[in-house]
Structures are given as C-alpha cells and as structure tokens.
Amino acid sequence: MQWLYDVAYFFGGVFLTNALPHFISGLMGRPFQSPFAKPPGEGLSSSTVNVLWGFLNLVIAYVLLCRVGNFNLRATDQIIAAGLGVLLFGTITARLFGRFYGGNEPVSTVVMKEYGTPDETL
C-alpha cells in the first residue's frame, strides 16, 4: 500500500505546481490560460477565475499531501515522489506555455523576431 501513498504525493506535487501560476497571476490581476477559457488551455481567463482555480488546486494538493497517509518531509521516498510531480509537471507546462510567451526560444531569437536584426533597425 505504500506505493499508493507515493502516487498520491506525486499528484499532490502536480496540483501544487499547477496552483502557483494561476493563483499568482490572479493575485497580480493578470489574465492567464485556464481550462475554462476558449479554447481551453490557450485562451485567457480572468484574474478572478484564476484565483479560484489556483485555490482549488491548492486544496487538492493539500488533501493529497497532508491528508493521505502520513507525509513526512524527512522521508526521502515521499519527497522524491512529490518532487518528481513538481518537476515533471513543471517541465511539461514550461514547454506548453512557452509557445505563448516565447519561453521555448532563446532570448536573442525572440528579440530578433520582434525588433529585427541590428542592421534592420538602423
């Protein structure tokens, strides 16, 4: 049964990672992609929707990390399970949302696309 707890901790890390950008963007008053936008995951939702969605993700993360089993920050296997959830989901979302914000390309390429080469701007 221990492996079931590790699965719960893994998904707790996933939901914790998903909560952060939604909640923070909402607190800053900025729209952000959410499953409720049109098209889902690509369109922007209001800051209020993102605060609510981020808070729901925090609640789910809390339940999975703190109410399932006996999560211990000093237990290496439990930290690895949660950390892998954070790392895997963070990497996936960085790639997915990087296409909207230019995060998948080096800065110089993004700048050159937007402003042109130095010769073109003169």
Side-chain angles (χ1 to χ4, degrees), residues 41-71:
E42 293 184 21
L44 298 175
S45 292
S46 71
S47 56
T48 304
V49 167
N50 277 291
V51 166
L52 296 172
W53 181 240
F55 184 76
L56 178 64
N57 278 269
L58 280 173
V59 169
I60 294 169
Y62 167 76
V63 168
L64 291 172
L65 291 171
C66 299
R67 293 294 188 186
V68 173
N70 187 16
F71 187 76

Side-chain angles (χ1 to χ4, degrees), residues 2-116:
Q2 178 60 36
W3 69 272
L4 286 175
Y5 294 145
D6 289 338
V7 170
Y9 302 149
F10 174 85
F11 283 104
V14 167
F15 278 98
L16 180 61
T17 302
N18 195 44
L20 295 176
H22 292 285
F23 196 74
I24 291 169
S25 291
L27 289 178
M28 294 174 65
R30 295 182 179 170
F32 191 73
Q33 289 86 2
S34 82
F36 309 107
K38 300 225 185 320
E42 293 184 21
L44 298 175
S45 292
S46 71
S47 56
T48 304
V49 167
N50 277 291
V51 166
L52 296 172
W53 181 240
F55 184 76
L56 178 64
N57 278 269
L58 280 173
V59 169
I60 294 169
Y62 167 76
V63 168
L64 291 172
L65 291 171
C66 299
R67 293 294 188 186
V68 173
N70 187 16
F71 187 76
N72 184 353
L73 289 173
R74 294 177 186 242
T76 305
D77 63 325
Q78 296 173 2
I79 290 298
I80 288 173
L84 283 175
V86 169
L87 180 64
L88 180 65
F89 194 72
T91 304
I92 290 169
T93 56
R95 296 296 300 164
L96 288 173
F97 293 115
R99 64 189 169 127
F100 299 116
Y101 300 104
N104 292 343
E105 300 176 15
V107 172
S108 59
T109 305
V110 173
V111 170
M112 292 179 78
K113 281 183 182 176
E114 188 168 334
Y115 299 107

